Amino acid sequence: MDHHAPSGNPLSRLDDWDDFVEARYPVPGEKAKEDYRKYDSSTRDGVREFYQLNHRYQTYDFVQEKKRTYLPLQKREMTVLEAVEYLNTLVDDSDPDISLSQREHLLQTAEAIRADGHDDWFVLTGFIHDLGKVLCLFGEPQWAVVGDTFPVGCAFSNRIVYPEFLQDNPDSRNPRFNTPLGVYERGCGLKNIHLSWGHDEYLFHVITQAGCSLPEPAQYMIRYHSCYPWHRENEYQDLVDDHDREMLPWVMKFNQYDLYSKSPNRPDWSQLSDYYTSLIEKYLPGKLAW
Ligand code: FE
Ligand code: FE
């Protein structure tokens, strides 16, 4: 193992949280897929524990501190493919028959987008969208990398998953933060709002600081795909702006592929690598700062 996982926080369980989202949000109008992972009580306990930590510690100040730490992007330099290889060391080795590696999740998402005939930038977005999870390899606990994100610095929505755990967040008792607008101005737009820290925001900065030429819908998909209180629950309408509303359908479209493209058929990287290499060359060539 060449990473530095905090002990008691097995990286091998990283995928569980994505699967949990799938369980909470079955495809509208469809019955939950039989061949998706079954959720026993121990998985649910793990998810509860995860959100207990996440909701307690994701404060406004915590988010600022993580931004100061990571957004200068001075951890390492990697090409997109090097980041995929690096992230792929996060594998669920406890259950190899069911769990997909990180690269397989990225490829299945991207291939599902491609199979529907979408533009190449959309396909590449699927392929890179979770690369911010390399934060785990930099020693961040999972509750600071994955899971749903939500605005901090204003009152917490009761549509956030496990809202009861937000009572443990000291910001919920801070008069500066616990009004509907909090530190923000009405209609200021998502770009001015701090979300709980995780892989979405981090990757957004990696690609934009690299001078990414992916179009704006791609940037929204990357930055907000975990923000379920916004893209699924329609919360924070006082804070978002018209541009966010315009981009919302793209984020929702992307979400279908992120959640429902999982299948036991493992994509064959050797068959696909040339195609993805050419997409990376086109939109995100060379070394990126992480
Ligand atoms: Fe993600
Ligand atoms: Fe994903």
Side-chain angles (χ1 to χ4, degrees), residues 6 19 33 47 61 67 100 139 142 144 160 170 234 237 257 273 289:
D19 289 350
K33 296 238 183 357
V47 174
D61 289 345
K67 288 185 170 182
L100 298 171
Q142 289 190 29
I160 296 168
N234 251 301
Q237 289 305 313
Y257 295 107
S273 65

Side-chain angles (χ1 to χ4, degrees), residues 18 105-106 109 126 129-130 133 199 225 254 258-259 262:
D18 281 355
H105 168 59
L106 293 173
T109 306
H129 75 278
D130 276 340
K133 290 181 183 175
H199 67 286
H225 70 270
F254 173 79
D258 191 11
L259 292 190
K262 282 180 190 166

Side-chain angles (χ1 to χ4, degrees), residues 54-55 58 148-152 156 160 166 194-196 227 229 236:
N54 174 277
H55 288 5
Q58 289 271 2
D148 295 8
T149 59
F150 52 87
V152 295
F156 299 121
I160 296 168
L166 288 160
H194 298 284
L195 300 183
S196 53
C227 194
Y236 302 102

Side-chain angles (χ1 to χ4, degrees), residues 6 53 77 83 155:
L53 294 170
E77 304 239 300

Side-chain angles (χ1 to χ4, degrees), residues 80-235:
V80 168
L81 282 183
E82 285 165 350
V84 172
E85 287 308 314
Y86 185 48
L87 184 66
N88 214 37
T89 61
L90 298 182
V91 184
D92 188 339
D93 40 29
S94 70
D95 201 357
D97 288 332
I98 298 176
S99 289
L100 298 171
S101 71
Q102 296 296 318
R103 185 171 66 198
E104 286 169 320
H105 168 59
L106 293 173
L107 276 176
Q108 287 194 347
T109 306
E111 285 292 293
I113 294 167
R114 187 183 177 192
D116 281 352
H118 289 294
D119 290 346
D120 62 353
W121 60 262
F122 196 171
V123 178
L124 181 62
T125 302
F127 184 63
I128 66 173
H129 75 278
D130 276 340
L131 289 181
K133 290 181 183 175
V134 297
L135 286 168
C136 276
L137 295 156
F138 299 155
E140 289 298 323
Q142 289 190 29
W143 58 262
V145 179
V146 295
D148 295 8
T149 59
F150 52 87
V152 295
C154 59
F156 299 121
S157 159
N158 58 14
R159 305 294 300 166
I160 296 168
V161 61
Y162 291 118
E164 65 273 24
F165 292 140
L166 288 160
Q167 289 165 15
D168 298 338
N169 188 309
D171 286 1
S172 69
R173 291 179 296 280
N174 185 329
R176 199 174 151 228
F177 300 136
N178 61 17
T179 62
L181 295 180
V183 300
Y184 307 111
E185 275 170 37
R186 186 176 298 278
C188 64
L190 281 173
K191 65 178 181 302
N192 291 308
I193 292 168
H194 298 284
L195 300 183
S196 53
W197 178 250
H199 67 286
D200 302 35
E201 180 76 8
Y202 174 60
L203 183 65
F204 168 77
H205 284 273
V206 169
I207 64 158
T208 50
Q209 291 189 42
C212 163
S213 58
L214 286 168
E216 219 190 345
Q219 299 184 25
Y220 262 74
M221 293 168 191
I222 286 165
R223 195 175 194 181
Y224 302 115
H225 70 270
S226 303
C227 194
Y228 284 83
W230 174 56
H231 71 65
R232 177 75 58 143
E233 301 293 328
N234 251 301
E235 291 288 271

